[in-house]
Amino acid sequence: MNLAVEVNNLQVAYERNVVLDNVSWQVKRGTLAGIIGPNGGGKSTFLKSLLGMVPITKGTVRVLNQSSRLARPQVAYLPQREEVDWNFPITCFDVVLQGRLVHLKWWQKPSTADYEKARDSLALVGMVDYASRAIGALSGGQKQRVFIARALAQEAKLIIMDEPATGLDAVAQHELLDLFQQLKKEGHTVIVTTHDLNCIAEGFDTVLGLNRQVILSGIPSEVMNADILTELFARHFPVIKSTGEVTVHD
Amino acid sequence: MISDWFLEPLQFSFMTRALIGTSLIALLSAFIGTFVVLKGLAFISDAIAHTAFSGMAVALLLGWNLNLGALLLGIFTAVGVTFLNRTAKLRNDTALAILFTGAFALGIILMATMPNFAGDLSSLLLGSVLSIRVQELYWIIAAFIGVGIMLKVTFHHLVFVAFDPVGAEAAGIPVVWLQTLLMIMISIAVVVSIQAVGVVLVMALLITPAATAALFTRNILKMMGLAASLGLFASWIGMYIAYYVAAPPGATIVVVATLQFALGLVISYLRQQQPLNTEGRRSS
């Protein structure tokens, strides 16, 4: 089968603590896939394992039918907000142009064709008017669009985003979901971690619920029900006892 | 006459060499200093300067070229810190401070025990730009050309890594390699700058012009250009003041650069007091 992601019995440990265990997941190409789960449940670690950026203690990860390391030039990763230096003096256009660097050696400079590709990509996400603006001056939704343009300039087949909707207002979240649908139509596979369960239920083809292990996996309308979501997020529900003592269920 | 005032120092070959040397050092420091300021690498750069001094002491002991010794130990520190930061994943300010001050102290002892050199200790600590020889000028020119080429060739990739290291690594950009290269370039800039302003003041040349430029632009190329202009200006004005009032040139250059920064702060504050621009944000 033509898979974008194929994970089998994955185990990842940080300093002897297992943060992901026995995770298996398959994502077909051209799919919009969401990953949900409580904070600390291993969502970001799972994404990094798809990118070959964390050591795996057990199991296998295949991305676009090859090892995650070899697949890197065809995979775009949009980091969490705090991982990017927003004060860095760089324009939106130059951020998008970075997508082209992936296909160049470190001593090669972007060509005219690379510049054109960057401009076209910026136009595709409706941000061409912002080309010469500093990235740090944009709103959260606009920043996400510029990063998606970078992924398009990279000609990435798989686009992975860590919490792209966090901090966006409702309108910007819906615009982002529309953009995901557009990417999917153009044949991209999109994998997103999110806290927005409604967004997953409305617009995603498949969902993975992670809390150290796979708690749910499948088509959102079939697998997302109250019982399983309670189990997934259980440890985040506070329990207030009759004595007034508050504990967090774990 | 102003032209006489300008031309008089140039009659002396030591002044000409000093002006060429400090100009190149100011340009080199401005280009590299831009990255140092943007990525908050000032402390590491200071560590490089201090261990480079120990490298000079060791070179002297072994009969090597001083610059070579400084460069080797400077690069060793730079690469070591990059590696430690990555593998240990801990804030190692304390360990680094202990290591580099210890190495620096050892360097001072080594130098002091060498009877032929003890007298020149202050020139290394505080700079001796007026005694730059032709051979040292060649080192500075080589450093300028070498770092210039490295920076031009890797510029786009370096910016990617500085702006979004995780995204760059995920996309297969050789992040560690490029971070190491940046540290090597910082080491080279620091080692040649020691000649002009000495170990104690080397950070000023690297950081002050770039920090002043950062007050006025949000574009990295413009920032480098402005930092270079400010650095050049500070070097020339500093050298001329030092010549006419018989002040130590390295320290005078640093004082001029610091005044530039103070003036920059005032100007940027006054600009912020202007009415809001309702036509949209400035892109620079």
Side-chain angles (χ1 to χ4, degrees):
Chain A
M1 207 182 342
N2 205 1
L3 293 172
V5 165
E6 187 179 13
V7 178
N8 284 312
N9 301 319
L10 173 71
Q11 187 190 62
V12 177
Y14 281 134
E15 294 167 0
R16 311 302 304 157
N17 293 318
V18 174
V19 288
L20 284 174
D21 198 18
N22 200 24
V23 176
S24 296
W25 195 42
Q26 291 188 341
V27 178
K28 288 185 203 155
R29 292 195 193 214
T31 300
L32 186 48
I35 301 175
I36 57 174
N39 290 332
K43 299 190 297 290
S44 296
T45 304
F46 182 65
L47 292 189
K48 297 242 165 99
S49 69
L50 296 181
L51 297 159
M53 288 171 69
V54 291
I56 290 170
T57 39
K58 256 190 222 168
T60 58
V61 174
R62 303 273 296 167
V63 175
L64 302 167
N65 296 327
Q66 52 199 321
S67 77
S68 42
R69 218 162 245 278
L70 284 177
R72 278 180 176 179
Q74 299 175 64
V75 180
Y77 172 64
L78 280 66
Q80 275 192 24
R81 197 154 300 183
E82 61 272 17
E83 289 176 321
V84 177
D85 181 358
W86 297 111
N87 288 320
F88 200 88
I90 187 168
T91 64
C92 295
F93 183 79
D94 285 336
V95 172
V96 179
L97 192 61
Q98 288 172 346
R100 300 306 301 161
L101 299 181
V102 172
H103 302 293
L104 304 176
K105 297 290 180 198
W106 57 263
W107 63 85
Q108 291 177 315
K109 282 186 171 317
S111 66
T112 315
D114 292 321
Y115 278 84
E116 277 172 17
K117 179 78 188 167
R119 191 155 289 277
D120 290 348
S121 304
L122 209 46
L124 278 172
V125 299
M127 288 295 290
V128 83
D129 291 343
Y130 295 81
S132 58
R133 295 275 186 99
I135 184 92
L138 302 187
S139 71
Q142 290 170 330
K143 283 175 184 158
Q144 292 295 351
R145 296 182 99 79
V146 172
F147 269 68
I148 289 170
R150 184 173 83 180
L152 294 175
Q154 186 188 331
E155 297 176 281
K157 294 190 173 78
L158 172 61
I159 302 173
I160 296 177
M161 295 181 240
D162 201 353
E163 309 276 3
T166 302
L168 302 190
D169 60 37
V171 176
Q173 286 195 13
H174 272 97
E175 285 174 355
L176 196 60
L177 187 57
D178 289 344
L179 194 53
F180 292 164
Q181 298 288 357
Q182 187 188 327
L183 292 172
K184 184 190 145 182
K185 272 190 201 133
E186 286 160 12
H188 298 278
T189 308
V190 180
I191 298 178
V192 175
T193 62
T194 182
H195 286 291
D196 187 348
L197 303 183
N198 290 328
C199 172
I200 296 268
E202 281 172 30
F204 281 62
D205 302 314
T206 184
V207 62
L208 174 73
L210 272 184
N211 187 6
R212 211 171 78 98
Q213 298 179 344
V214 176
I215 306 294
L216 63 90
S217 171
I219 299 166
S221 59
E222 292 175 4
V223 296
M224 284 169 68
N225 58 53
D227 288 343
I228 202 150
L229 288 176
T230 307
E231 186 191 339
L232 179 61
F233 290 98
R235 67 184 207 164
H236 276 240
F237 290 136
V239 177
I240 304 171
K241 293 183 181 166
S242 55
T243 55
E245 187 190 351
V246 180
T247 55
V248 177
H249 186 352
D250 200 351
Chain B
M1 289 282 92
I2 287 184
S3 60
D4 291 343
W5 187 88
F6 177 74
L7 290 173
E8 190 196 308
L10 300 179
Q11 300 167 42
F12 302 102
S13 57
F14 72 86
M15 272 302 280
T16 320
R17 283 197 302 271
L19 279 166
I20 295 172
T22 46
S23 301
L24 291 174
I25 287 169
L27 291 175
L28 180 60
S29 299
F31 297 150
I32 295 302
T34 299
F35 279 95
V36 172
V37 167
L38 289 175
K39 294 314 295 172
L41 300 172
F43 186 70
I44 292 173
S45 306
D46 203 20
I48 291 170
H50 282 72
T51 52
F53 174 80
S54 317
M56 287 178 173
V58 173
L60 208 63
L61 202 65
L62 300 174
W64 292 2
N65 180 297
L66 286 191
N67 278 325
L68 190 68
L71 196 60
L72 283 178
L73 217 60
I75 289 176
F76 176 77
T77 310
V79 174
V81 167
T82 313
F83 181 74
L84 268 180
N85 262 336
R86 221 182 145 73
T87 51
K89 292 202 186 295
L90 45 86
R91 279 180 59 84
N92 47 16
D93 291 15
T94 313
L96 190 62
I98 292 167
L99 197 72
F100 87 68
T101 47
F104 183 63
L106 196 64
I108 290 178
I109 292 172
L110 277 179
M111 290 236 178
T113 54
M114 280 175 262
N116 296 338
F117 203 78
D120 285 346
L121 193 60
S122 69
S123 73
L124 279 180
L125 293 177
L126 299 170
S128 58
V129 70
L130 294 177
S131 57
I132 285 184
R133 288 168 299 165
V134 176
Q135 195 204 358
E136 284 155 352
L137 210 52
Y138 289 151
W139 270 91
I140 296 172
I141 293 169
F144 181 75
I145 294 173
V147 172
I149 291 173
M150 277 192 267
L151 194 59
K152 188 163 170 49
V153 163
T154 58
F155 181 74
H156 284 96
H157 285 81
L158 273 179
V159 168
F160 192 176
V161 170
F163 167 64
D164 176 12
V166 184
E169 187 172 356
I173 301 280
V175 171
V176 181
W177 202 98
L178 284 158
Q179 283 172 339
T180 307
L181 185 74
L182 178 64
M183 295 308 278
I184 290 173
M185 288 193 280
I186 294 173
S187 306
I188 295 172
V190 164
V191 167
V192 295
S193 302
I194 287 176
Q195 302 222 338
V197 292
V199 173
V200 181
L201 298 175
V202 72
M203 293 313 297
L205 269 193
L206 207 60
I207 284 171
T208 313
T212 311
L215 295 171
F216 294 102
T217 178
R218 300 301 300 150
N219 174 312
I220 187 168
L221 283 174
K222 285 182 189 168
M223 190 174 156
M224 283 181 163
L226 186 56
S229 311
L230 290 167
L232 267 184
F233 185 80
S235 301
W236 279 70
I237 297 292
M239 286 297 294
Y240 272 82
I241 293 174
Y243 177 83
Y244 281 107
V245 305
T252 314
I253 292 171
V254 172
V255 167
V256 175
T258 311
L259 288 175
Q260 282 177 339
F261 181 75
L263 191 63
L265 270 183
V266 172
I267 293 171
S268 76
Y269 174 77
L270 291 177
R271 273 167 45 142
Q272 281 169 11
Q273 303 306 307
Q274 286 178 359
L276 290 175
N277 173 13
T278 51
E279 312 257 317
R281 215 184 139 95
R282 276 191 310 272
S283 59
S284 59

